[in-house]
């Protein structure tokens, strides 16, 4: 099995058709391949993990088509990020590769954009970089920003209003030269290495967040399956409903037992849930 390469715009359609043929791995298959790769360095396992996620890269790359760069190049850069993610992926964390890989894919695409887009200069501030990647999506329509829009965006991104106006001017096709110096206000400027810094969470923090979310969703769902039908019904009615919460007396009437018995069932079920989730973690 080889990894397909998109080398030009002419081959993009063929590439997109090709990657659709690769099946998406089940959680069990993904775990098996990742474990084999981590323990033995098996290249076939690495290829299986990569090709099954090429559609993810293509989907993410489409979100950056507005910068005027070749889609084929964006995909190739994203594929590099995917390969880095596969190399670092630890299946024992309990997180799927699709969640872990998104950080690395976007980081490589961002780096490529700031290296190559014609309006991005060698030196730029953190505020300009933040505006560069967010201003288009925050604009409502294609009209020039109103003073209220400028104030809103500046507040949300924690930048100066004049920086919003300047970046809009640049994004509309009017280039403004930026020298690699400290400006009159003492504003720091940064070399291209600053572009590689992702303002999102570090991979370790991202993994911790994803792991917590996993426990709160899949972990809780699996834990509920360990309960008998009556205990599961009591917990769902008392704690997991979006509507009105059932009272002990209402559930007692439903199961023809005392309210005290429902309270005991609830406490035992909660303890079982807690024990199961701790063991699963």
């Amino acid at each position: 099995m080889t990894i397909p390469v998109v080398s030009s715009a002419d081959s993009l359609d063929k590439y997109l058709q090709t990657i659709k043929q690769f099946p998406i791995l089940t959680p069990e298959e993904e775990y098996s391949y990742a474990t084999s790769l981590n323990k033995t360095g098996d290249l076939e396992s690495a290829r299986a993990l990569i090709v099954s996620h090429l559609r993810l890269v293509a989907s993410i790359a489409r979100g950056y088509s507005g910068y005027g760069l070749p889609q084929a190049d964006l995909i190739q850069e994203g594929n590099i990020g995917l390969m880095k993610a596969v190399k670092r992926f630890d299946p024992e964390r309990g997180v799927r590769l699709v969640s872990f890989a998104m950080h690395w894919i976007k980081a490589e695409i961002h780096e490529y954009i700031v290296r190559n887009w014609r309006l991005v200069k060698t030196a730029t501030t953190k505020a300009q970089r933040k505006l560069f990647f967010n201003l288009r999506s925050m604009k409502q329509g294609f009209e020039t920003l109103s003073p209220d829009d400028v104030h809103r965006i500046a507040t949300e991104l924690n930048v100066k209003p004049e920086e919003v106006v300047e970046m809009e001017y640049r994004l509309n096709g009017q280039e403004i030269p930026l020298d690699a110096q400290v400006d009159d206000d003492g504003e720091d400027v940064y070399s291209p290495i600053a572009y590689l810094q992702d303002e999102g969470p570090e991979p370790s923090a991202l993994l911790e967040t994803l792991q917590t979310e996993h426990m709160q969703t899949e972990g809780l769902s699996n834990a509920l399956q360990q309960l008998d039908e009556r205990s599961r019904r009591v917990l769902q009615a008392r704690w997991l409903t979006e509507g009105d919460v059932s009272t002990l007396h209402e559930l007692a009437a439903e199961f023809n037992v005392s309210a005290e018995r429902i309270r005991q069932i609830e406490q035992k079920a909660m303890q079982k849930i807690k024990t199961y989730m701790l063991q699963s973690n």
Side-chain angles (χ1 to χ4, degrees), residues 17 24 39 48 52 68-69 109 116 119-120 149 169 191 236 241:
Q17 290 299 321
I24 296 175
K39 291 183 177 179
S52 66
L69 294 171
I109 293 177
N116 293 278
L119 295 182
V120 182
D149 290 332
Y169 187 71
S191 62
Q236 289 174 334
T241 179

Side-chain angles (χ1 to χ4, degrees), residues 4-16 69-76 79 112:
V5 175
V6 51
S7 57
S8 66
D10 294 337
S11 65
L12 180 58
D13 289 340
K14 181 179 179 181
Y15 172 84
L16 294 176
L69 294 171
Q71 191 70 16
D73 291 347
L74 292 172
I75 290 175
Q76 285 298 87
N79 285 345
Y112 172 75

Side-chain angles (χ1 to χ4, degrees), residues 116-130:
N116 293 278
W117 201 46
R118 64 184 181 88
L119 295 182
V120 182
K121 299 304 182 179
T122 302
T124 186
T125 65
K126 284 185 176 180
Q128 289 161 355
R129 177 178 180 271
K130 189 184 298 183

